[in-house]
Amino acid sequence: MNRFIRKSIMLFTLLLLVFTSGCWSSKEIEDLSVYVGVGLDLAEESKFEKSINAQGGHYPKNNNFTATVQIVPRIGPKQENQKNAGASEGQSFLNERLTGDSLFQIFRQFALRRDRPLIGHHLKVIVVSHELTKKYSLEQLLDFILRDNDIRPSSLVMVSHGTALEALSSNEPGEIPAFYLKGVVANAYRSNKILPAVTLAKLDGKMQSGSSFLLQNVLTAEGEHKFSGAGIYKGETKKWVGSLNQIELEGLSWITGDAQAGAVKSYAKPHGHTVTYEIKSTKTKITPKVQGDDIYFHVKVESEGQLMEDWSSPEIPSTDTYIKELEGQFADTVKEQIQQVLNRMQNTYRVEVAGFGEQLRIKYPKVWKKVKKNWDETFSQIPVTYDVKINIIDAGSSTD
């Protein structure tokens, strides 16, 4: 390479440096309040709010709900007193609460009591109390969050059986509840009792479509949390109308084809000893049929997996006949789960949250246009049949 080319490259490189823009408008993360969780509960003013209001620090508002913001505090010599800000000793998060009737205004009120502005780019989880969503629709409660460009549409939405504050609290040292809840959702590859993640983007689509939908249900006791079933939201009102329990959520996963992992327990005949099947894969097909004005659905479920537990004593040899008997019993257990969730949808709550309407729309679009307005009510009268086939492809390690 001659001297002219070398100098030309150096000059070009220097010019690139001149025109490369820097982060002139950036803000150091230490100067921001990064919130990772938001909880919405029935209105209950804190002692702080009551004291401030008594001193004339109130502003015009109705007490419709209380918002909890979970903040990850900064670490260093300038760290604020966590105990006074809402965190106990050993906690890695702060839960700050304010009450009002506008979530956006509440967020701006935090600017009056914190030296660092809130930033929502890292929001992970939004938890709404089922009691609050009996009173107000999710469309109303989450309108600001869905409009705010600072909040990622990948943020997860869940419903709490108790208060959202409880779901965003923890006694475990070093644990940040918002991260914990997001992490449990990721365990869906281990169990079909966990609802597929419902993000803000997916929730917005469900609400805009007018169809009924589910949110993962969170239970809290002694500062610990457990996922158990799902909250049902009516498409027409976007309000909570009831819940599916764990067994019913399992039944739903077989209908939707989400049962790609998990365990099916049965009691082998005639002695009633425990046997357990591990799901490895599942194929589900929902077939709509239309005859005149009558609509029918048939669900075909096929699953492959392993025999993972057998309490027979002495152990029964894993012969072809024995395996076939177990396959039939596991299939019967799955059928019971499917029947249970269908009964909940069609008779108890009169909602459709399993995707039957979507399959009807795809195959019979003209029929769907006629029935979609009152689909939940229409579905409650539609016969649904189902077949389940379980195939045990491996009996695991054995002492035979």
Side-chain angles (χ1 to χ4, degrees):
M1 183 183 295
N2 60 42
R3 183 178 298 177
F4 175 76
I5 295 176
R6 191 162 52 247
K7 287 184 177 181
S8 298
I9 293 174
M10 292 177 63
L11 180 62
F12 180 71
T13 302
L14 290 173
L15 286 172
L16 284 178
L17 292 174
V18 171
F19 290 104
T20 300
S21 61
C23 298
W24 58 271
S25 62
S26 67
K27 294 182 179 179
E28 296 297 331
I29 195 167
E30 291 84 1
D31 297 328
L32 301 170
S33 289
V34 178
Y35 67 92
V36 294
V38 170
L40 301 176
D41 284 307
L42 289 172
E44 184 179 358
E45 287 188 325
S46 65
K47 291 181 180 180
F48 170 82
E49 287 182 281
K50 291 177 180 178
S51 177
I52 290 296
N53 291 341
Q55 299 176 58
H58 58 83
Y59 63 95
K61 64 182 175 68
N62 296 315
N63 288 338
N64 292 346
F65 64 91
T66 296
T68 300
V69 177
Q70 186 161 103
I71 300 170
V72 180
R74 59 184 173 186
I75 298 175
K78 295 182 180 180
Q79 186 174 4
E80 296 170 320
N81 187 318
Q82 293 187 21
K83 188 171 182 180
N84 292 335
S88 301
E89 186 177 352
Q91 286 186 335
S92 300
F93 62 93
L94 311 175
N95 277 343
E96 295 204 356
R97 311 184 73 205
L98 285 177
T99 303
D101 53 8
S102 163
L103 189 57
F104 176 67
Q105 189 176 45
I106 286 174
F107 273 45
R108 287 298 183 261
Q109 282 292 311
F110 280 111
L112 306 182
R113 58 178 296 190
R114 294 192 65 85
D115 63 334
R116 296 174 293 145
L118 295 178
I119 179 172
H121 300 307
H122 300 282
L123 179 62
K124 305 298 182 187
V125 173
I126 301 158
V127 183
V128 293
S129 160
H130 85 280
E131 289 290 348
L132 180 65
T133 52
K134 281 186 193 178
K135 189 174 182 180
Y136 302 104
S137 75
L138 283 174
E139 207 166 32
Q140 294 172 310
L141 295 169
L142 301 180
D143 186 65
F144 157 65
I145 290 177
L146 289 168
R147 291 173 184 267
D148 188 5
N149 291 328
D150 283 348
I151 296 175
R152 296 178 181 178
S154 59
S155 302
L156 302 181
V157 186
M158 304 178 190
V159 58
S160 62
H161 181 76
T163 66
L165 175 63
E166 290 174 335
L168 289 173
S169 302
S170 175
N171 295 331
E172 186 72 22
E175 181 178 87
I176 300 176
F179 292 163
Y180 168 85
L181 294 175
K182 184 178 177 65
V184 177
V185 171
N187 288 337
Y189 77 100
R190 303 285 289 178
S191 174
N192 61 332
K193 294 183 180 182
I194 299 175
L195 191 70
V198 179
T199 62
L200 276 173
K202 186 182 292 186
L203 177 62
D204 191 29
K206 284 287 186 182
M207 291 194 296
Q208 294 298 324
S209 72
S211 59
S212 298
F213 55 91
L214 301 174
L215 291 180
Q216 180 67 59
N217 192 43
V218 183
L219 307 183
T220 304
E222 304 297 326
E224 297 185 27
H225 315 294
K226 180 183 179 181
F227 283 8
S228 183
I232 304 172
Y233 286 82
K234 189 79 171 176
E236 185 179 355
T237 63
K238 283 79 176 176
K239 292 182 179 181
W240 184 93
V241 294
S243 296
L244 298 180
N245 63 29
Q246 292 184 47
I247 301 301
E248 291 156 358
L249 189 56
E250 283 184 286
L252 185 74
S253 73
W254 293 106
I255 296 173
T256 59
D258 292 322
Q260 299 299 321
V264 179
K265 183 183 67 178
S266 186
Y267 300 96
K269 300 174 182 177
H271 304 296
H273 58 271
T274 301
V275 286
T276 311
Y277 167 80
E278 182 185 18
I279 307 165
K280 288 298 183 181
S281 66
T282 300
K283 293 181 180 179
T284 298
K285 184 177 182 180
I286 299 175
T287 304
K289 298 178 182 179
V290 177
Q291 295 180 355
D293 293 331
D294 297 326
I295 302 171
Y296 307 88
F297 285 103
H298 181 72
V299 181
K300 183 179 180 181
V301 178
E302 295 182 359
S303 178
E304 290 187 344
Q306 293 179 298
L307 177 62
M308 292 301 293
E309 199 170 11
D310 186 343
W311 278 47
S312 60
S313 181
E315 186 174 340
I316 299 174
S318 299
T319 62
D320 289 343
T321 301
Y322 181 59
I323 293 299
K324 288 295 180 185
E325 290 176 355
L326 293 184
E327 288 175 344
Q329 290 181 217
F330 288 131
D332 288 341
T333 300
V334 172
K335 289 177 183 177
E336 290 173 5
Q337 294 175 350
I338 292 174
Q339 183 56 48
Q340 190 169 329
V341 73
L342 283 173
N343 181 60
R344 279 292 191 190
M345 287 193 291
Q346 294 188 306
N347 300 321
T348 305
Y349 299 121
R350 304 177 83 85
V351 296
E352 194 274 286
V353 291
F356 288 98
E358 178 64 11
Q359 295 304 315
L360 182 65
R361 182 191 68 80
I362 292 171
K363 192 167 184 180
Y364 298 99
K366 292 182 179 179
V367 175
W368 173 247
K369 286 182 180 179
K370 294 179 181 179
V371 301
K372 68 177 182 179
K373 186 175 181 180
N374 298 306
W375 175 241
D376 281 343
E377 191 63 33
T378 300
F379 175 74
S380 67
Q381 306 298 325
I382 294 177
V384 179
T385 57
Y386 43 88
D387 290 324
V388 178
K389 183 179 180 182
I390 300 293
N391 184 20
I392 298 175
I393 57 175
D394 186 0
S397 299
S398 176
T399 56
D400 291 350

